Amino acid sequence: MTAPPESTDRLVADLWAGAARRAPGIHERLIALSSRDDRWPVRVACLHILAEHFRAEAGTATALAAATHDTVDWVAFTGIQLAGRHRTDAAVPDLIKISGWPSNFTRPGSLRKPVGCGSAFAKQALIRIFGSSDPGRLRDLEDAFFAPWRESVTARRRSRNHTDVVLVPQGAGRHGAAPAGNAYGMDDTDNPPREVFLPAFHIDRTAVTNARYAAFLDEVRDSPEFDHPDQPAGKGHAPAHANDPRFNRPELPVVGVDWYDAWAFAGWAGGRLPSEDEWERAARGTDGRTYPWGDAFEPDRVHYVEGAFSRPVPDLAHLDAVLVTADPDAHPPAPVLPADSLPEGAAPYGALQMAGNVWEMTRTNYFTREDMDPFFKGRRPVEFMNRKDAFHALRGGSWTSPPPCLATHYRGRDLITDRHSEVGFRCVYSADADPEAGSAAPQDTEEETVP
């Protein structure tokens, strides 16, 4: 017969006694139980015992910090309080995620959203750890505390390895557009007019080409160094259409790659995928133009469905009829153009083909408009294809698109694991980045909705 589980009270008493006499292995057992025992009172007791008897030993601070995010509130509150009482520096990053920066929430007039006990405990703990409630002093202490973290991130940052970029200067610009009906039933109601301020950045002048992507594959090979943490196990980065002569010439934009491939390439290149706002600013400048070249549609400046299929496509019925003639072997015979073609359709800062040819991926979640943060590892696409977290925003339209999709404000979407012949990407880099200097982390944008 299986022995009955030890009672909670008896186990806790034994743990206190074992800690008092420094029983062999007791410290390791307490750390394990503090996060793994199914009974939350046991986890709470372990945290108290660790703080009482093993405060200075390796692993205790990490256990207290981890407990601040326990799924049971009373365990998390215990971890937060003990971290503050014993000034556990290791818990500071965890506490800030709960309450925000102390230099902000201690500032007079600071607005907040009340979220309960946890935030209050975390604020109290941070003030105790830093030893001040003055917002100015706290800002200095925060900067000093995180200086080594910033240095380590800078040291790991990869230098930009590409020079064919254009500069998008800092400033405010008009994004979005008022909805307008069209003959294709394309929904353009999800990008309302607004003013957006962005810091300066560089963006690739052209979409990433097969030649450039091949250099990435040749250097990375089977290394996971640049892979997204959520990338499916065993996944490689080879394009799906690498053997199709219609898509695989060196000068053509790489297609048949998914969001994880683009994310990895961007890290290897020393940059990142653009946010929707960064992409839109590079495509239209600050004046809110409808297309990269201006407000009037000019078919000679863009490669879209009529050029790819060599047929007029005036409405949705014609569009559907044309698109169903596409096949995987020969039609259309030349769906995409070289990435540096059609210079007459250049965007205000010099980026090419930001309308048509291939859709371009962004790092923005289509539904939440925040940076993508997928968490689907180990699942098949059919299991998450209805989850909003699985869709990134596409921009620019492609060789299968009608004019409404080519507008600088039009938003498309795609599943992060899909690999299409109509989708490519380009990268952005911080404005202070050059081949000799690493790129800085992305900065937040500021938006103001306008009527």
Side-chain angles (χ1 to χ4, degrees):
M1 294 179 61
T2 302
E6 189 174 8
S7 73
T8 298
D9 291 344
R10 177 60 183 272
L11 175 58
V12 170
D14 288 346
L15 291 171
W16 275 107
R21 67 174 186 272
R22 295 279 174 156
I26 187 64
H27 182 230
E28 292 76 10
R29 188 183 182 197
L30 287 164
I31 288 177
L33 291 174
S34 71
S35 62
R36 299 175 191 167
D37 197 275
D38 291 337
R39 297 159 290 186
W40 68 262
V42 173
R43 301 202 297 276
V44 166
C46 288
L47 295 174
H48 281 291
I49 298 170
L50 285 168
E52 178 71 22
H53 289 283
F54 301 97
R55 191 182 315 158
E57 296 198 18
T60 294
T62 301
L64 293 178
T68 64
H69 297 294
D70 193 279
T71 56
V72 174
D73 51 7
W74 294 113
V75 183
F77 297 166
T78 299
I80 293 169
Q81 289 178 295
L82 290 172
R85 186 178 306 158
H86 299 295
R87 304 189 70 175
T88 306
D89 288 353
V92 167
D94 299 275
L95 297 173
I96 285 174
K97 292 176 183 177
I98 299 169
S99 66
W101 296 89
S103 61
N104 288 336
F105 65 67
T106 59
R107 197 173 302 280
S110 175
L111 298 177
R112 65 186 182 91
K113 291 183 181 291
V115 293
C117 300
S119 179
F121 283 137
K123 291 177 180 179
Q124 181 185 67
L126 283 166
I127 290 172
R128 286 181 173 178
I129 291 171
F130 282 113
S132 176
S133 59
D134 176 78
R137 174 62 176 157
L138 281 168
R139 180 58 186 269
D140 293 338
L141 292 170
E142 290 165 359
D143 288 344
F145 180 88
F146 283 100
W149 297 57
R150 286 193 295 271
E151 290 172 4
S152 67
V153 170
T154 302
R156 294 195 304 271
R157 191 173 293 145
R158 183 177 173 89
S159 297
R160 172 159 60 88
N161 61 14
H162 188 56
T163 58
D164 190 10
V165 298
V166 297
L167 175 65
V168 179
Q170 172 178 296
R174 192 171 182 84
H175 287 216
N182 59 77
Y184 304 90
M186 300 299 173
D187 182 4
D188 64 351
T189 62
D190 57 354
N191 194 7
R194 65 200 185 283
E195 195 80 9
V196 177
F197 178 87
L198 290 173
F201 60 93
H202 285 111
I203 189 168
D204 288 330
R205 188 177 65 91
T206 73
V208 173
T209 62
N210 284 311
R212 194 169 165 217
Y213 195 82
F216 158 68
L217 293 177
D218 185 61
E219 180 176 324
V220 172
R221 298 183 182 275
D222 296 327
S223 170
E225 179 180 357
F226 302 104
D227 291 351
H228 190 280
D230 189 56
Q231 178 174 299
K235 170 183 162 51
H237 296 298
H241 305 299
N243 296 319
D244 189 332
R246 296 179 299 165
F247 299 105
N248 66 3
R249 298 201 312 274
E251 71 276 14
L252 299 180
V254 65
V255 295
V257 293
D258 66 18
W259 187 87
Y260 293 110
D261 297 323
W263 197 93
F265 177 94
W268 170 83
R272 60 190 185 274
L273 290 176
S275 68
E276 275 198 274
D277 280 333
E278 287 171 331
W279 190 97
E280 186 168 330
R281 177 62 54 80
R284 74 192 309 189
T286 60
D287 59 8
R289 61 185 62 189
T290 304
Y291 302 101
W293 55 84
D295 285 322
F297 182 67
E298 300 186 41
D300 293 339
R301 295 176 183 255
V302 59
H303 184 59
Y304 69 117
V305 64
E306 291 191 353
F309 287 87
S310 300
R311 291 173 57 180
V313 185
D315 54 34
L316 179 59
H318 285 82
L319 177 65
D320 288 342
V322 164
L323 294 181
V324 297
T325 67
D327 65 60
D329 298 318
H331 188 68
V336 293
L337 300 182
D340 63 351
S341 57
L342 296 177
E344 59 272 22
Y349 307 111
L352 299 183
Q353 293 194 10
M354 297 201 78
N357 212 30
V358 294
W359 287 100
E360 297 188 5
M361 296 184 238
T362 72
R363 68 174 187 269
T364 302
N365 181 296
Y366 176 84
F367 292 99
T368 69
R369 299 178 184 261
E370 299 177 349
D371 280 0
M372 289 289 292
D373 188 20
F375 196 71
F376 303 111
K377 195 167 187 175
R379 298 184 181 183
R380 297 171 299 154
V382 70
E383 297 178 84
F384 57 75
M385 62 189 304
N386 291 322
R387 299 292 297 273
K388 291 183 177 181
D389 287 343
F391 288 89
H392 61 279
L394 295 174
R395 289 302 198 102
S398 76
W399 58 273
T400 62
S401 297
C405 297
L406 308 174
T408 54
H409 57 81
Y410 189 84
R411 306 178 72 230
R413 68 173 183 261
D414 201 12
L415 190 67
I416 56 174
T417 51
D418 281 356
R419 299 189 292 167
H420 298 296
S421 62
E422 307 130 293
V423 179
F425 67 97
R426 72 182 76 209
C427 305
V428 296
Y429 318 85
S430 293
D432 58 355
D434 57 43
E436 304 301 325
S439 61
Q443 300 183 48
D444 292 335
T445 64
E446 297 179 5
E447 295 186 3
E448 180 182 351
T449 301
V450 296

